[in-house]
Amino acid sequence: MAKQKENKLNTVRHSLAHILMQALERLYGAIPGVGPAIENGFYHDFSCEHQVSEDGLPKIEKEMKKIIKESLPIRKKIMSINDGLKLLKKKKYKYTEELAKELKREKQTKITFYEQGDFINMCKGPHLKSTGDINPDAFKLTKISGAYWKGDEKNPMLTRIYGVAFNTKKELEEYLKIMEEAEKRDHRLLGQKLDLFHFDEQFGAGLPLWHPKGALLRQIIEDYSVKEYLQNGYQLLRTPHIARLELWKKSGHWDFYRENMYSPMEVEKEKYVVKPMNCPGHILIYNHRPRSYRDLPLRFAELGTVYRFEKSGVLHGLTRVRGFTQDDAHIFCTPKQLSEELVKCLKLGLKMLKSFGFKEYDIYLSTRPKKYIGALKNWEKATSALKYALTKNNLKYQVDPGEGVFYGPKIDLKIKDSLGRAWQCTTIQVDFNLPEKFNVNYINEKGKKEQPIMIHRALLGSIERFIGVLLEHFSGALPLWLSPVQVEIINVGSAHRQYAKSINQQLITNNIRAQLSDENLTVSKRIREAEIQKIPYILVVGDEEIKNKTVNVRHYRRGQENEIKVKKLIEKILREIKERVV
Ligand SMILES: [Zn+2]
Ligand SMILES: [Zn+2]
């Protein structure tokens, strides 16, 4: 039922794309490119003499509403390919004509057109029965941009207008509200405002440069992760950023993953590549000496930085980058240990995400893709072990058929942020294949060589993306335990400077990240500045506070709090850090 409703909405969105094109043709004699339905709406590409800009969108929207009001019947027309081509030529629809010619070359004999009033264009459909079937209050044109014909920069640049559309006005308004909120929370803006990181053209696209506060935030997250690993029986490893090309040929990455890898570089006639993954290094460490069943499971963890090629067009702040650090680990275990290891992995992942304030997830179990290596029997074993781990952790999940990696099935966990958006985060993958390629083994109880199973897992995913999500989730106001600056102390006048300094020192001695404010600004300006920086605690000290050995407390979320003795405040802050209060 839900699916049917979704399909109907797609038809509405596609019909709106045609109505948009019809309006553009009426107003400016525009020539159509393509115009599909997309997630949450639609777009249409076109070219025209008239320069259409953002300001012109209301006028186009008005014309679209007029077309809806005209209740034009939408008629499907099947034509012979030659008649269709003639029609497109007459209408000077050169882009559509090009597509029709391709269909002719593919030996298609008939093509479909859709007609509504004065507008007709080639289209596969489906469409609504009438333009009047659309709710004129449930759509909106949102933006305008350039788009190369067929996405190829050698082709002419067309104009693209995007719109969003829903069933009801209420749904549209809710969506627009979320988008507006999301814009305010955009982690790229917050990264600037809070002085955490920036991207620099001189350094390269998709490669974030971390400023002091951002680097500290990373360190806090990494320290926490390492502490959890050590408490859960992991050992830490470190492997370099480049490795010989031969290694990636042996691992199969060069065959199956090359499009994401950077070109090799030559060092003393030997080819090297920057690592897209940490796995082969961990395997070499495992293989460095003989292993017995008594050694297993072995859990090797590394906050490993990897580099993967992404087209510049898809790069997006910290959430799509070209170099990032995975909270990566590889677990080597016996086939008997597999299920329990997966249960533990998932449990640790959920615990960590919860301490960052995430409690809602979308979980997917991805099964064997078309392009795969390894035995079918092993794929089945691994898939059922993953199902076991999900059930044991009482998790609801969806099966994503064919979405597994080439070397094994996997669990993906997407966290839901405060706006209900889902972000890919935890991944747990079983791999029967790399152990085979590298001849990984252990001596079993009977003194015979046996192959262990390898689990790849990243719990937070990429530290970069995770920070991006955290910033958007909390709108930049990080929980106390994560805030790079936890406390700012503001002395009212120079007479209170000494007192402020002594409090600062007491806080720092207790491992609380405190700082003194910039005395060159007025008190109200300093308070405002600390609030812009979303610092959890602002302490103001003047005559009264010195007399009472107290501080005046303002909390970012809770607002003005009572005057409190310094000692009591330190206890309170330490407790809130320990309990990871949001
Ligand atoms: Zn169409
Ligand atoms: Zn791996």
Side-chain angles (χ1 to χ4, degrees):
M1 191 62 205
K3 195 127 205 165
Q4 246 173 37
K5 223 172 146 187
E6 194 57 25
N7 285 343
K8 164 101 197 298
L9 190 52
N10 272 340
T11 309
V12 169
R13 287 168 177 161
H14 187 180
S15 294
L16 271 162
H18 278 225
I19 291 170
L20 165 61
M21 194 57 231
Q22 184 171 17
L24 288 164
E25 189 177 59
R26 279 187 184 179
L27 294 169
Y28 311 116
I31 296 169
V34 293
I38 53 171
E39 202 186 350
N40 300 315
F42 58 92
Y43 70 76
H44 216 301
D45 290 349
F46 61 94
S47 72
C48 73
E49 306 263 299
H50 179 88
Q51 185 78 33
V52 185
S53 70
E54 195 99 37
D55 308 337
L57 296 183
K59 187 178 170 186
I60 300 165
E61 228 173 70
K62 208 170 143 203
E63 188 64 34
M64 288 173 73
K65 288 191 182 173
K66 214 174 110 199
I67 295 168
I68 292 170
K69 213 166 161 210
E70 287 167 19
S71 269
L72 303 170
I74 303 176
R75 294 198 184 91
K76 182 176 176 177
K77 290 193 161 176
I78 299 171
M79 289 186 204
S80 74
I81 193 113
N82 288 330
D83 286 351
L85 276 168
K86 251 183 245 160
L87 177 65
L88 291 169
K89 196 171 184 79
K90 195 175 126 226
K91 291 189 73 78
K92 299 197 170 70
Y93 283 5
K94 54 183 175 185
Y95 305 107
T96 322
E97 193 186 348
E98 193 183 320
L99 297 177
K101 277 181 182 160
E102 279 169 21
L103 295 176
K104 191 178 176 179
R105 273 199 296 278
E106 287 163 16
K107 306 271 184 272
Q108 199 165 311
T109 54
K110 293 200 165 16
I111 41 174
T112 325
F113 281 76
Y114 277 85
E115 184 181 43
Q116 55 198 50
D118 48 19
F119 179 74
I120 181 164
N121 197 8
M122 182 176 93
C123 174
K124 267 197 272 188
H127 280 283
L128 300 169
K129 296 229 151 39
S130 160
T131 61
D133 293 344
I134 288 168
N135 180 349
D137 297 321
F139 83 92
K140 186 173 168 47
L141 298 181
T142 49
K143 65 177 177 186
I144 184 161
S145 72
Y148 291 109
W149 169 236
K150 289 179 167 174
D152 188 338
E153 56 198 276
K154 285 182 227 97
N155 287 336
M157 172 82 89
L158 306 183
T159 307
R160 174 175 295 177
I161 291 179
Y162 287 94
V164 291
F166 294 88
N167 286 314
T168 62
K169 187 179 177 188
K170 192 165 161 258
E171 279 169 22
L172 172 71
E173 281 169 352
E174 274 166 16
Y175 176 80
L176 292 173
K177 223 166 97 192
I178 287 177
M179 290 320 287
E180 201 186 312
E181 187 53 38
E183 222 166 275
K184 274 190 260 165
R185 289 163 178 251
D186 188 324
H187 73 274
R188 295 169 298 179
L189 297 177
L190 286 168
Q192 293 278 334
K193 231 165 93 179
L194 305 179
D195 193 19
L196 299 174
F197 61 87
H198 86 281
F199 290 88
D200 204 309
E201 242 174 62
Q202 298 171 80
F203 203 90
L207 301 165
L209 297 174
W210 293 93
H211 301 191
K213 283 205 283 174
L216 184 54
L217 172 59
R218 282 189 64 132
Q219 195 65 47
I220 294 161
I221 294 171
E222 294 185 5
D223 287 349
Y224 166 68
S225 304
V226 166
K227 200 185 98 222
E228 285 294 335
Y229 296 167
L230 295 178
Q231 281 177 4
N232 283 278
Y234 286 80
Q235 293 173 289
L236 295 183
L237 304 180
R238 284 280 172 147
T239 60
H241 291 220
I242 63 170
R244 286 177 58 200
L245 178 60
E246 289 307 310
L247 182 71
W248 305 101
K249 284 184 178 165
K250 188 171 174 182
S251 68
H253 289 100
W254 193 241
D255 283 336
F256 284 86
Y257 203 68
R258 194 183 313 185
E259 67 216 30
N260 299 91
M261 293 172 68
Y262 291 97
S263 312
M265 60 188 112
E266 217 171 276
V267 181
E268 291 179 337
K269 296 208 174 101
E270 193 64 58
K271 287 201 170 86
Y272 283 76
V273 288
V274 290
K275 67 175 175 185
M277 295 201 185
N278 303 302
C279 346
H282 292 194
I283 291 178
L284 295 183
I285 293 172
Y286 180 100
N287 276 353
H288 187 61
R289 63 167 186 177
R291 306 282 179 180
S292 139
Y293 70 95
R294 290 190 206 91
D295 302 328
L296 302 185
L298 267 177
R299 306 181 188 96
F300 286 162
E302 178 178 13
L303 290 157
T305 304
V306 295
Y307 300 87
R308 295 179 188 173
F309 175 71
E310 298 270 11
K311 286 205 179 99
S312 52
V314 303
L315 294 172
H316 183 90
L318 295 175
T319 52
R320 277 299 267 284
V321 288
R322 283 180 173 164
F324 57 93
T325 301
Q326 282 181 307
D327 65 327
D328 205 1
H330 295 96
I331 299 168
F332 299 88
C333 65
T334 68
K336 268 200 202 119
Q337 292 166 336
L338 176 64
S339 298
E340 276 318 307
E341 281 307 307
L342 291 171
V343 172
K344 280 183 194 158
C345 251
L346 206 49
K347 207 169 154 193
L348 177 58
L350 293 171
K351 181 192 168 194
M352 287 176 65
L353 292 176
K354 203 171 153 207
S355 50
F356 285 99
F358 296 106
K359 290 181 201 97
E360 275 185 71
Y361 317 105
D362 283 339
I363 302 172
Y364 301 89
L365 172 68
S366 305
T367 57
R368 186 169 46 83
K370 280 205 190 90
K371 206 170 156 190
Y372 72 99
I373 45 180
L376 260 180
K377 187 184 75 196
N378 289 339
W379 274 86
E380 275 157 24
K381 265 196 235 164
T383 309
S384 61
L386 287 169
K387 278 186 188 162
Y388 174 81
L390 287 163
T391 318
K392 265 275 172 175
N393 280 289
N394 295 318
L395 296 170
K396 285 209 176 73
Y397 64 94
Q398 293 174 45
V399 177
D400 231 347
E403 286 301 308
V405 204
F406 69 87
Y407 51 72
K410 61 171 181 169
I411 292 173
D412 282 320
L413 196 146
K414 292 184 182 170
I415 44 180
K416 287 263 195 74
D417 73 7
S418 50
L419 294 184
R421 296 170 301 174
W423 302 88
Q424 168 67 41
C425 191
T426 306
T427 183
I428 301 176
Q429 310 176 354
V430 179
D431 187 345
F432 288 107
N433 302 298
L434 272 186
E436 179 131 6
K437 290 197 175 283
F438 283 88
N439 193 21
V440 179
N441 59 57
Y442 65 97
I443 307 297
N444 68 16
E445 291 96 323
K446 291 171 193 140
K448 289 221 166 74
K449 268 190 190 171
E450 200 169 326
Q451 195 175 83
I453 294 170
M454 183 173 177
I455 304 168
H456 308 251
R457 112 285 167 278
L459 302 178
L460 306 181
S462 126
I463 302 289
E464 283 75 3
R465 185 176 48 215
F466 193 73
I467 289 176
V469 177
L470 269 178
L471 290 173
E472 299 207 1
H473 180 64
F474 289 111
S475 205
L478 295 169
L480 183 67
W481 76 282
L482 289 169
S483 294
V485 180
Q486 294 169 318
V487 181
E488 177 152 319
I489 305 151
I490 298 172
N491 54 319
V492 176
S494 54
H496 317 113
R497 187 184 301 143
Q498 241 355 82
Y499 183 61
K501 271 188 174 174
S502 84
I503 292 171
N504 190 44
Q505 196 49 51
Q506 285 179 65
L507 292 170
I508 290 171
T509 311
N510 279 284
N511 295 317
I512 295 168
R513 296 184 289 273
Q515 70 181 24
L516 292 163
S517 66
D518 175 4
E519 268 189 81
N520 291 315
L521 304 171
T522 62
V523 171
S524 60
K525 200 103 189 264
R526 282 186 268 163
I527 292 176
R528 213 185 115 53
E529 198 51 46
E531 275 169 352
I532 288 171
Q533 289 299 310
K534 306 189 191 235
I535 294 170
Y537 277 98
I538 302 173
L539 311 181
V540 182
V541 294
D543 292 336
E544 197 66 12
E545 286 76 22
I546 293 182
K547 200 177 85 198
N548 301 336
K549 294 200 171 58
T550 56
V551 286
N552 180 305
V553 180
R554 271 166 189 261
H555 188 272
Y556 183 79
R557 280 178 210 283
R558 302 190 294 257
Q560 185 69 43
E561 297 194 330
N562 291 337
E563 203 178 310
I564 187 172
K565 294 264 185 216
V566 179
K567 205 174 148 236
K568 278 259 177 291
L569 177 72
I570 291 176
E571 281 168 16
K572 181 172 146 150
I573 290 178
L574 289 176
R575 193 182 61 243
E576 286 180 5
I577 291 172
K578 195 169 165 228
E579 288 170 4
R580 302 203 173 87
V581 172
V582 170

